[in-house]
Amino acid sequence: MSKEVKEPLVRMTKRDTIGTAKAWGIRLAAVLLSLVVAGLVIVAITKQNPIQVYLGIVDGAVGTNRRAWVTVRETLALLCIAIGLTPAFKMKFWNIGAEGQILMGGTATAALMIYAGDALPNWLLLVLIFIASAAAGLIWGLIPAVFKAYFNTNETLFTLMLNYVAMQIVTFCIVFWENPAGSNTVGIIGAAGQKGWFPSLFGNIYGLNVVIVLILTLGMYIYMKYSKQGYEIAVVGESQNTARYAGINVKRVIIRTMMISGGICGLAGSLIVSGASHTISTSTAGGRGFTAIIVAWMSKFNPFAMILVSAFLVFMQQGAIQVASQFGLNENASDIITGILLFFLIGCEFFINYKLELRKNRKEGK
Amino acid sequence: MEPVNAIELRGVTKRFGEVVANDNVSLAVRKGEILSILGENGSGKTTLMNMLSGIYFPDEGEIVVNGKTVTIRSPKDSFALGIGMIHQHFKLIPILTAAENIILGLPGKGRLNLKQIENEIRSLTEQYGFELDPTQKIYDMSVSQKQTVEIVKVLYRGADILILDEPTAVLTPQETEKLFAVLRNMRRAGKSIIIITHKLNEVLELSDRVAVLRKGKYIATVETAGATVESLTEMMVGEKVKLDINRTEPAGVEKRIEMRGVTCRNKEGLKVLKEASFTAYSGEILGVAGISGSGQKELLESIAGLQPIESGEILYDSPEGKTEKISSMKAEEIKELGIALSFVPEDRLGMGLVASMDLTDNMMIRSYKEGGHFFADRKAPKKLAEEIVDKLEVVTPGVETPVSRLSGGNVQKILVGREIAGNPTVLMVAYPVRGLDINSSYTIYNLLNEQKQKGVAVICVGEDLDVLLELCDKILVLNSGRIAGVVDARETTKEKLGLMMTGSGEEKQANE
């Protein structure tokens, strides 16, 4: 009565549960596969031995003491932002405005370095920088939170658009802070006396970065796991109805959490400006506010997993920059490699949640 | 030779991860019969039917339709074989008319002749005895009319085999009778009808044969004529079950909650509770009956401080004799007053519990604010979780398991257990046994009775009128947001309640 219908060739079925070992096995396979594919792409472009290319990546990331520390520095910045995003995303508040929050924190830092750099002792200046950068990021997080809590605006669009506002503010400030005049850049701030720069700690110029970010990481882990506020964030994220039922003031939690999230992202701005680049531009955040989202998600919001994920991503990025210059490719090559990596890492989550079944070869009855 | 079986399932198995939803099920549906598929929640009834309607694909086994082995891989294939499924949740477009919904998705000529289609639908409805106006818009329809549209929709597409998933769950007793009459007409016309249900009385009244599933396995098919409620229950559960609710006379009756002329609106701005006034007493179970969406949710939520009210007031009389006005208070403010109000909401995993959290963290929902420090205490909640698991025989790997992994009955035990642990003076429960197996249901009824004997004012929203009549002392009937009356559960009948629910009965027995 109807035409013959065949069983589909491939079907996907949802997995019930998956062992931790198997899940990490799939992720590891994804990493290896991404390295192979990235290698093939590079080989296709450079016609070089892939082993050479990978050695180039390792060399670029940790080949010299200086390069290794740059990798550490970049990892810390990315990690700090991911830590900042954690409470917001755990609350299912899609804060994609870390870029703006970083820029605002960075701008506050640069302003203090420029205007107060000569008047204050360095330790006091640094304290002020931390407070001001966190406050600037906090305000940038607070604005969308208040609108979300009271008018239920879409936080994704709101935080995204605030990124552009922050960029315009930076552009505006550059007009006043130009150095040398006419360059349209700020140049290195306080190069003479290193005013407002992070001091060396344990004999390393990035020592303070390490200390700050590790404290934040540990603090965030404890805050999310053991505090009442962390519990409230988790409940609000899972279901606002349950939160109301439990007597949680949802508005207050949204606002408070975004203040924390924005504050930490703002602090990351000071880490980048005062602790690394010592300058400010519209690309100070450099897309890290978005990359950090991936770091946070791939780590399943576990701050310690974030250390590994951010280190891995930065390692590949730094290595790719080296490969690009070594083989005469332009800077986009590193974006390609990072893109291939992320594609595989995010794509493998599908195989963790689903499995594919091939059509069984039913011989009997046909 | 003409095959006698409309559908035959042979050794059908379906797994979801490690869960086996259907395990080697073989059963047959004869032509021109009404077959009930009976089983407790989670026994695999719906999964089995979803394989017939092309929503799932079986892992093993074969499906034979009219004597021919077939492969059904999409709802389209299923339609082509003349199988039509009427789901529990209707899939209709509110702004279109009945006729427009019925032809939706059908291939046709470029020019649409609605007149002709409406006439075709009319002749179809007359043939089987439906009451349906093809030009009526869906948003103007009652639940039972919408269901009629769904049924006519599959008939219009030429289905010979109809599958109805829990069709009476949303109907009043009177509407159920009408539906049954229509189904009998269809049987006479040679259609095969499969009904998924867990209501035993309906099975006995309507069907020719009953197929029983238990925990994914096919148990047997029996002729309805030779079956009783007891025998079917035993097949469903696998053991003899005592189906009695021990109702005691109310003792220590005092006024506890008083609602005076409460009106409130839902998110869409529609009035969902209109001038509602009633009193709940301690030591009594007050049942709340009504067609779903008649304001039951808002009634409970306005008392719990989760639903803002527009006018009227809600008073709480404490056992010490103090009267507090709790309307316009939020849940946390009521709690701060020291009023022990417990609430088991309808949406267990969306409001009462957090699905992804473990048992301990779910206990904390009620208690996490206790203690003045920054860090949350997890020791006491963990102990409470262990006590509940122990006392109510919750089946769980441990208190660290997310509640989403537990079965419906166990989820409800956790929720009810937590709410009772707060030593409430008022206990509100909404659809406390929905989705639960028979044994768990009776555990819950016993818990409610225990609370009543302790002097708690229990308010219980239910959908099964038979159970409400057996369990409650008084029954409050809601009719589209208005309280149609409060009646004595020992005196009234199912038919009377049904009339009050639909508003055809004007008798407002204010039983104050």
Side-chain angles (χ1 to χ4, degrees):
Chain A
M1 79 192 281
S2 71
K3 57 188 181 305
E4 195 69 17
V5 190
K6 271 200 186 138
E7 189 181 331
L9 183 65
V10 184
R11 287 183 293 127
M12 64 182 203
T13 51
K14 198 159 168 41
R15 287 180 199 268
D16 191 33
T17 51
I18 184 165
T20 324
K22 199 170 175 192
W24 283 104
I26 291 175
R27 292 198 183 101
L28 190 67
V31 170
L32 292 177
L33 211 58
S34 69
L35 292 179
V36 171
V37 173
L40 287 175
V41 170
I42 296 167
V43 171
I45 302 169
T46 62
K47 312 273 188 290
Q48 297 285 338
N49 180 351
I51 305 288
Q52 286 288 306
V53 174
Y54 282 116
L55 284 178
I57 288 177
V58 174
D59 181 45
V62 292
T64 66
N65 205 18
R66 200 191 123 66
R67 280 179 195 160
W69 275 104
V70 169
T71 303
V72 169
R73 181 190 80 196
E74 293 301 306
T75 303
L76 290 170
L78 191 61
L79 177 60
C80 182
I81 302 160
I83 293 290
L85 289 175
T86 301
F89 277 86
K90 189 84 188 172
M91 193 176 65
K92 306 250 163 81
F93 185 104
W94 311 120
N95 176 17
I96 57 169
E99 292 277 299
Q101 290 146 18
I102 297 162
L103 280 177
M104 292 313 288
T107 310
T109 306
L112 274 172
M113 287 165 78
I114 291 168
Y115 294 118
D118 297 324
L120 297 172
N122 207 28
W123 68 267
L124 183 60
L125 183 62
L126 276 175
V127 170
L128 283 181
I129 282 174
F130 292 144
I131 295 172
S133 62
L138 181 149
I139 292 169
W140 231 238
L142 179 65
I143 300 168
V146 168
F147 277 84
K148 170 82 180 180
Y150 287 95
F151 308 107
N152 197 26
T153 52
N154 182 312
E155 75 274 15
T156 318
L157 289 172
F158 210 123
T159 50
L160 180 69
M161 290 193 290
L162 279 180
N163 288 344
Y164 298 103
V165 178
M167 275 188 183
Q168 293 305 316
I169 290 175
V170 171
T171 313
F172 181 73
C173 289
I174 290 173
V175 174
F176 297 100
W177 298 343
E178 251 184 347
N179 182 26
S183 66
N184 203 25
T185 59
V186 178
I188 301 296
I189 307 166
Q194 305 209 335
K195 290 286 182 189
W197 293 25
F198 280 15
S200 289
L201 204 64
F202 315 124
N204 191 290
I205 50 167
Y206 299 126
L208 190 58
N209 301 41
V210 176
V211 171
I212 290 174
V213 177
L214 286 189
I215 288 174
L216 282 174
T217 308
L218 189 65
M220 184 54 73
Y221 179 76
I222 293 170
Y223 178 73
M224 292 306 295
K225 201 166 158 100
Y226 297 109
S227 77
K228 288 178 182 174
Q229 296 191 357
Y231 179 75
E232 286 180 339
I233 291 171
V235 174
V236 170
E238 288 299 329
S239 157
Q240 295 206 1
N241 265 336
T242 310
R244 288 194 308 125
Y245 170 86
I248 293 172
N249 186 333
V250 176
K251 289 189 176 67
R252 190 167 66 202
V253 173
I254 290 179
I255 291 172
R256 183 182 69 206
T257 306
M258 268 313 285
M259 283 164 66
I260 294 170
S261 177
I264 296 177
C265 290
L267 199 62
S270 78
L271 222 58
I272 294 167
V273 171
S274 184
S277 70
H278 309 121
T279 184
I280 180 99
S281 74
T282 50
S283 59
T284 288
R288 281 178 278 206
F290 299 119
T291 313
I293 297 174
I294 297 166
V295 173
W297 269 105
M298 281 186 11
S299 318
K300 305 266 189 281
F301 303 110
N302 179 338
F304 297 117
M306 285 177 201
I307 300 178
L308 289 178
V309 175
S310 51
F312 175 68
L313 283 181
V314 171
F315 183 94
M316 291 306 291
Q317 242 163 3
Q318 295 297 324
I321 292 170
Q322 166 73 13
V323 169
S325 67
Q326 193 177 329
F327 298 105
L329 307 170
N330 69 16
E331 72 233 49
N332 296 334
S334 82
D335 288 345
I336 293 173
I337 291 182
T338 317
I340 291 171
L341 269 176
L342 290 180
F343 177 83
F344 278 92
L345 280 176
I346 296 170
C348 83
E349 297 295 318
F350 172 85
F351 292 95
I352 289 171
N353 287 316
Y354 296 92
K355 65 178 174 207
L356 297 179
E357 281 179 15
L358 287 174
R359 180 197 296 168
K360 287 171 231 83
N361 282 324
R362 282 192 219 163
K363 295 258 162 58
E364 75 276 23
K366 288 263 156 132
Chain B
M1 201 186 81
E2 182 79 353
V4 283
N5 287 335
I7 292 185
E8 223 185 303
L9 298 171
R10 290 184 193 147
V12 171
T13 298
K14 178 74 190 171
R15 294 183 201 91
F16 295 103
E18 286 160 23
V19 181
V20 185
N22 287 136
D23 187 5
N24 196 16
V25 173
S26 303
L27 63 85
V29 187
R30 290 181 195 145
K31 285 202 168 162
E33 78 162 348
I34 300 181
L35 176 79
S36 289
I37 298 202
L38 186 66
E40 300 202 272
N41 282 87
S43 60
K45 299 169 297 205
T46 305
T47 307
L48 194 65
M49 291 305 115
N50 278 342
M51 283 190 278
L52 284 179
S53 62
I55 291 170
Y56 295 142
F57 192 85
D59 291 333
E60 282 163 31
E62 56 182 15
I63 300 171
V64 182
V65 177
N66 293 319
K68 201 169 153 215
T69 305
V70 294
T71 307
I72 304 172
R73 57 179 203 185
S74 72
K76 223 173 139 188
D77 296 342
S78 173
F79 262 138
L81 294 165
I83 302 171
M85 182 151 173
I86 291 106
H87 294 269
Q88 231 171 330
H89 302 284
F90 305 139
K91 294 156 166 54
L92 298 168
I93 299 175
I95 58 155
L96 298 184
T97 65
E100 283 165 341
N101 266 290
I102 286 166
I103 56 161
L104 202 66
L106 284 179
K109 295 190 207 78
R111 227 180 95 97
L112 185 63
N113 188 348
L114 259 184
K115 277 264 147 25
Q116 188 199 329
I117 289 158
E118 279 161 13
N119 286 330
E120 283 170 23
I121 292 170
R122 276 200 193 93
S123 66
L124 201 63
T125 53
E126 273 161 32
Q127 185 189 343
Y128 296 111
F130 290 105
E131 285 167 22
L132 179 70
D133 173 9
T135 60
Q136 197 180 2
K137 304 253 190 203
I138 301 295
Y139 61 75
D140 276 335
M141 291 185 175
S142 69
V143 178
S144 106
Q145 285 172 307
K146 285 180 197 165
Q147 188 181 51
T148 308
V149 176
E150 286 281 7
I151 297 173
V152 174
K153 191 161 99 184
V154 297
L155 286 177
Y156 186 81
R157 281 151 207 244
D160 293 315
I161 304 160
L162 279 87
I163 306 169
L164 293 98
D165 190 359
E166 304 266 1
T168 61
V170 291
L171 303 181
T172 64
Q174 286 78 14
E175 289 166 338
T176 304
E177 273 312 308
K178 266 190 220 162
L179 173 70
F180 284 1
V182 167
L183 292 179
R184 288 193 191 101
N185 286 338
M186 288 197 230
R187 169 174 61 188
R188 215 165 294 138
K191 309 258 181 207
S192 305
I193 296 163
I194 305 174
I195 291 195
I196 307 175
T197 184
H198 62 255
K199 293 190 185 168
L200 295 162
N201 294 328
E202 290 172 1
V203 171
L204 292 173
E205 190 188 331
L206 181 69
S207 51
D208 301 300
R209 293 191 309 149
V210 196
V212 181
L213 296 180
R214 187 201 310 153
K215 292 186 179 128
K217 288 201 174 73
Y218 170 72
I219 303 300
T221 304
V222 293
E223 299 284 333
T224 313
T228 60
V229 169
E230 285 75 26
S231 72
L232 290 177
T233 311
E234 208 182 317
M235 283 172 76
M236 256 162 86
V237 182
E239 55 185 91
K240 273 212 161 62
V241 185
K242 240 181 91 198
L243 296 176
D244 294 323
I245 299 175
N246 177 25
R247 175 163 57 186
T248 54
E249 286 297 318
V253 177
E254 283 172 37
K255 208 191 263 182
R256 195 61 82 224
I257 291 276
E258 194 178 353
M259 196 182 247
R260 290 186 190 157
V262 169
T263 298
C264 62
R265 291 173 190 274
N266 64 7
K267 273 194 191 125
E268 284 79 41
L270 299 170
K271 268 192 196 175
V272 275
L273 211 55
K274 298 163 193 160
E275 299 281 327
S277 303
F278 75 94
T279 310
Y281 296 90
S282 62
E284 273 192 357
I285 299 184
L286 173 70
V288 178
I291 303 169
S292 65
S294 300
Q296 293 96 324
K297 183 169 166 249
E298 289 74 16
L299 189 83
L300 297 190
E301 289 190 0
S302 60
I303 298 173
L306 298 169
Q307 163 77 45
I309 63 174
E310 201 171 81
S311 61
E313 54 182 6
I314 302 167
L315 303 174
Y316 170 82
D317 298 280
S318 73
E320 291 80 37
K322 259 177 39 189
T323 303
E324 305 269 7
K325 193 173 154 212
I326 58 167
S327 39
S328 78
M329 274 192 193
K330 288 206 169 123
E332 62 255 46
E333 294 167 298
I334 296 174
K335 207 179 165 196
E336 277 158 21
L337 270 180
I339 298 175
L341 225 166
S342 284
F343 179 30
V344 177
E346 176 183 354
D347 190 358
R348 293 166 202 160
L349 291 177
M351 183 180 248
L353 299 167
V354 179
S356 61
M357 287 186 177
D358 67 15
L359 270 56
T360 304
D361 277 18
N362 269 301
M363 292 299 137
M364 280 169 65
I365 283 178
R366 282 296 194 198
S367 62
Y368 82 97
K369 280 183 181 160
E370 283 162 19
H373 22 86
F374 179 76
F375 291 107
D377 169 34
R378 276 188 168 77
K379 281 206 193 93
K382 188 168 179 224
K383 209 169 142 248
L384 176 61
E386 281 163 354
E387 273 171 27
I388 291 174
V389 167
D390 196 43
K391 200 172 142 225
L392 300 184
E393 295 166 350
V394 178
V395 182
T396 168
V399 293
E400 281 86 30
T401 309
V403 288
S404 58
R405 292 269 178 79
L406 304 186
S407 73
N410 289 313
V411 166
Q412 185 69 331
K413 281 182 189 170
I414 299 281
L415 180 52
V416 173
R418 186 190 72 200
E419 291 304 296
I420 289 175
N423 284 326
T425 51
V426 179
L427 172 64
M428 297 186 287
V429 292
Y431 308 107
V433 300
R434 183 182 280 174
L436 266 56
D437 59 53
I438 293 177
N439 279 323
S440 309
S441 300
Y442 280 82
T443 308
I444 301 287
Y445 297 146
N446 287 337
L447 284 173
L448 294 182
N449 264 321
E450 243 171 57
Q451 292 299 306
K452 163 185 157 182
Q453 283 161 19
K454 269 190 177 172
V456 176
V458 181
I459 305 177
C460 172
V461 174
E463 48 199 343
D464 192 335
L465 294 179
D466 290 315
V467 169
L468 283 182
L469 287 170
E470 259 183 83
L471 175 71
C472 304
D473 299 297
K474 288 180 186 156
I475 297 177
L476 180 158
V477 183
L478 277 169
N479 179 356
S480 48
R482 283 185 198 286
I483 294 182
V486 180
V487 294
D488 188 333
R490 290 178 178 80
E491 307 283 315
T492 192
T493 63
K494 205 165 133 184
E495 284 65 36
K496 271 191 200 155
L497 290 177
L499 287 176
M500 288 169 80
M501 279 157 67
T502 44
S504 36
E506 287 299 288
E507 54 210 300
K508 292 203 173 163
Q509 295 156 282
N511 201 346
E512 288 291 320

